[in-house]
Amino acid sequence: QVQLVESGGGLVQAGGSLRLSCVASRRLLRIRSMRWYRQAPGNQRELVAGVDSGGRTNYADSVKGRFTISRDNAKNTVFLQMNSLKPEDTAVYVCNVVEWTPVGPDNDYWGQGTQVTVSS
């Protein structure tokens, strides 16, 4: 089992920046993907950014050019650098890691989330 712990959320003014971190409790050897999702009150959870095992990244259209996802394999950590933040970015940001297994289904791990609030 793997625990994911997010940090870095907080209150920031519009136009500001935050850097989220998600640390896994153990070394992840067979990562299929590492993703950040967010969920605002009354909204469905949406994929914000992801990075796959080959290092390829993808972003929601709403954050392209402003957010950057990266990973540090040695530290079992995935980051989300968020620049030019807007009030509509306000949400709980949740980390997700999918680990493939030699036999059986993938392991799907989720963090508890970190609150990001952007004031206008």
Side-chain angles (χ1 to χ4, degrees), residues 4-20:
L4 303 178
V5 179
E6 300 102 333
S7 62
L11 174 63
V12 64
Q13 288 189 331
S17 298
L18 286 173
R19 189 190 195 207
L20 306 184

Side-chain angles (χ1 to χ4, degrees), residues 6 11 15 22 27 47-48 51 60 64 78 85 101-102 120:
E6 300 102 333
L11 174 63
C22 172
R27 180 80 179 273
L47 176 63
V48 177
V51 56
K64 283 180 181 177
V78 60
L85 282 161
T101 59
S120 57

